[in-house]
Amino acid sequence: MTQLIAGPMATLSHEAFRRLVEKFGGPDEYYTEMINAPTLMQKGPFEKYYLMNGPAPQKIVWQLTSKEADSMAAAVAVLAPLGGIGIDINMGCSAPEIVHSGAGIAWMLKPRKETFAMVKGVKDAIEKTAPAFRLSVKLRLGAENFKEEEFYDFCQGLCDYGVQRLVLHPRTQREKLARPPRRYFAERLAQRLQPRGVQVIYNGNVKDDASAKAALADCPTCAGLMISRASVQKPWIFAQLRGALDQEAPQAQDAGGAIDLMQTGLDYIALLQEFQPPEFFKSRMQRFFSYYCDNFTFGHYIKSKMLVAATPEQAEQTFRAYFDEQPSDRFKRA
């Protein structure tokens, strides 16, 4: 059975968003947004919000980022008591500020000895504090001049030091989302690692039934699909895909067979206020509605209005007003 996984997204993969997605059925696993290990160990004032594990603690994968190997390993002891499936090391983020700091995909570009030592440190910490935890790595293909065989060797090396799953977004460091991901790399990697019992998850441009089926057709050896941005536009997508892939699926629709798009947006605003600090409200509203408004006839119009809403109250007023003007946009079949 194909695993469906909610990917890590900065400012989005938090408990409020997970609760919105889970009410429609939810994925098999939720990856958290990047947790900065040094800040976590320094007990920053907002770190407790990154450590929230609801509404399904058994589905959580804690994603760590850091330029420092020691803090990455130390963070395991903080996360272990919170439960979940395991730890994921971010080697895929290519945002310039992350790369320049020495984190994200920078770990793929450092000397292998240094990267593998970091991975071993995290694995040793897992064995010591949470031996049932799985260790995974989310990564890209590497720099623009990457060599295919060197990439596979790097992945084999990660597994030599205890990595049990790889999530591959098959683009290079600088390739933008407009360029189609090269799915064949995920399939070739999965074939190579299958004898070792290491799972490969495909990540990239899965946004509906057709793209999910195409990805599985090209990557039949991969254990699952990771979906990120599309789950923000369509929080019901995991239930939708289970039905399309002939898997057992909870209902994503209401009794009338349609999703209430207005209420879903309002639910998100309410959940933010319950599960995020006021300092985070604006950025998390902006990020969510920049994708979610693509559901609407006049998406650009309502998006521009939502992006300037300074408070949850303003956001709610603005959102309700749109449906007063466009009542036909309120309900949508999944």
Side-chain angles (χ1 to χ4, degrees):
M1 182 177 291
T2 301
Q3 299 174 54
L4 298 176
I5 300 160
M9 295 175 284
T11 74
L12 278 170
S13 300
H14 45 70
E15 179 158 343
F17 179 67
R18 291 194 297 269
R19 286 183 177 271
L20 185 72
V21 173
E22 189 69 14
K23 80 169 190 174
F24 291 108
D28 297 300
E29 299 182 12
Y30 289 101
Y31 278 51
T32 67
E33 60 183 317
M34 292 187 297
I35 299 171
N36 186 276
T39 308
L40 177 65
M41 300 313 297
Q42 293 162 12
K43 299 182 179 179
F46 298 112
E47 292 313 296
K48 65 181 180 181
Y49 296 100
Y50 292 86
L51 301 182
M52 298 174 78
N53 62 2
Q58 74 280 7
K59 295 183 180 183
I60 292 290
V61 179
W62 305 99
Q63 188 182 77
L64 288 173
T65 185
S66 176
K67 65 178 181 181
E68 306 166 357
D70 290 346
S71 63
M72 201 99 79
V76 175
V78 177
L79 298 171
L82 304 176
I85 295 170
I87 301 290
D88 182 76
I89 299 172
N90 184 305
M91 293 190 192
C93 183
S94 59
E97 64 273 17
I98 298 294
V99 179
H100 293 156
S101 77
I105 199 173
W107 284 106
M108 295 188 70
L109 312 178
K110 296 177 183 181
R112 288 192 181 186
K113 182 178 180 180
E114 181 180 353
T115 299
F116 293 160
M118 179 274 290
V119 172
K120 182 179 185 301
V122 175
K123 181 64 174 179
D124 289 346
I126 288 174
E127 292 296 330
K128 183 178 179 179
T129 61
F133 265 19
R134 180 186 68 206
L135 177 59
S136 62
V137 169
K138 188 173 187 296
L139 73 170
R140 289 185 173 229
L141 295 171
E144 308 314 295
N145 61 346
F146 86 101
K147 302 290 192 298
E148 184 171 352
E149 287 303 318
E150 290 179 1
F151 167 73
Y152 297 137
D153 288 344
F154 176 78
C155 293
Q156 293 277 7
L158 293 175
C159 299
D160 291 342
Y161 286 94
V163 172
Q164 297 155 283
R165 168 189 277 186
L166 293 173
V167 179
L168 179 60
H169 181 77
R171 291 184 172 99
T172 62
Q173 176 183 353
R174 296 179 181 173
E175 283 180 336
K176 305 301 182 184
L177 296 177
R179 174 167 181 166
R182 289 173 273 182
R183 292 195 287 251
Y184 55 87
F185 280 112
E187 175 60 18
R188 291 173 187 174
L189 181 63
Q191 290 176 2
R192 290 182 182 231
L193 296 182
Q194 189 177 49
R196 302 185 63 163
V198 175
Q199 293 184 339
V200 173
I201 304 296
Y202 169 75
N203 171 226
N205 286 26
V206 176
K207 55 187 178 181
D208 51 25
D209 298 357
S211 56
K213 290 177 180 178
L216 291 174
D218 288 343
C219 306
T221 313
C222 288
L225 303 174
M226 177 174 278
I227 301 165
S228 300
R229 290 170 297 125
S231 69
V232 188
Q233 181 189 353
K234 298 180 283 188
W236 53 87
I237 193 170
F238 298 104
Q240 173 188 332
L241 290 182
R242 282 196 184 92
L245 300 175
D246 295 324
Q247 299 182 22
E248 185 177 347
Q251 281 295 315
Q253 294 108 328
D254 63 18
I259 292 167
D260 187 335
L261 294 178
M262 184 185 81
Q263 190 58 53
T264 298
L266 295 175
D267 287 348
Y268 179 76
I269 296 171
L271 287 165
L272 268 185
Q273 294 174 82
E274 187 173 357
F275 295 102
Q276 293 283 277
E279 294 87 346
F280 287 6
F281 288 167
K282 186 174 181 180
S283 63
R284 277 129 180 83
M285 285 191 303
Q286 289 176 332
R287 184 94 157 126
F288 175 82
F289 285 103
S290 67
Y291 294 111
Y292 188 69
C293 289
D294 287 341
N295 288 300
F296 306 130
T297 304
F298 299 97
H300 180 74
Y301 165 76
I302 181 57
K303 185 184 302 186
S304 65
K305 303 279 278 187
M306 294 301 288
L307 290 181
V308 297
T311 66
E313 293 76 18
Q314 288 180 11
E316 181 177 341
Q317 277 187 335
T318 300
F319 202 59
R320 287 183 182 277
Y322 175 79
F323 293 96
D324 289 339
E325 299 171 8
Q326 300 294 330
S328 61
D329 267 4
R330 179 165 178 174
F331 294 99
K332 176 178 181 176
R333 292 189 175 275

